[in-house]
Amino acid sequence: RGATQRQMRTMWRRYVHYPLYDVPATFLSSFSLFAANFFLFNLYSAREVGFYALAFRLAALPMALLAASMSEVFFQKAARS
């Protein structure tokens, strides 16, 4: 069963300011993950920084998969309680 238009408008009014807090936090979080790449350009060549970025992404992939699956289980259990 879906939400009615009235419920959707109510939720929109209630959470209209949410993007004002979420977007900057998400941007800063993403920037902090990849900021090292920008600073390493001053010390190393583009090829070496590229290899570092690739290795970083490959190392982070298993952690991201694990975190995603754990969060699904957590939210499922949290919804039950």
Side-chain angles (χ1 to χ4, degrees), residues 8-19:
M8 301 228 350
R9 277 194 302 269
T10 302
M11 293 305 277
W12 171 257
R13 281 190 217 113
R14 186 175 190 184
Y15 295 108
V16 71
H17 297 292
Y18 181 74

Side-chain angles (χ1 to χ4, degrees), residues 1 3 5-7 10 13 23 26 31 36-37 43 47 49 52-54 59-61 63 67 69 76 80-81:
R1 178 178 115 156
Q5 285 187 358
R6 182 180 218 182
Q7 290 172 328
T10 302
R13 281 190 217 113
V23 171
T26 303
F31 178 75
N37 296 344
L43 303 173
R47 182 175 185 224
V49 175
Y52 168 79
L54 180 63
L61 183 62
M63 290 184 283
S69 62
Q76 182 182 20
R80 288 184 190 161
S81 2

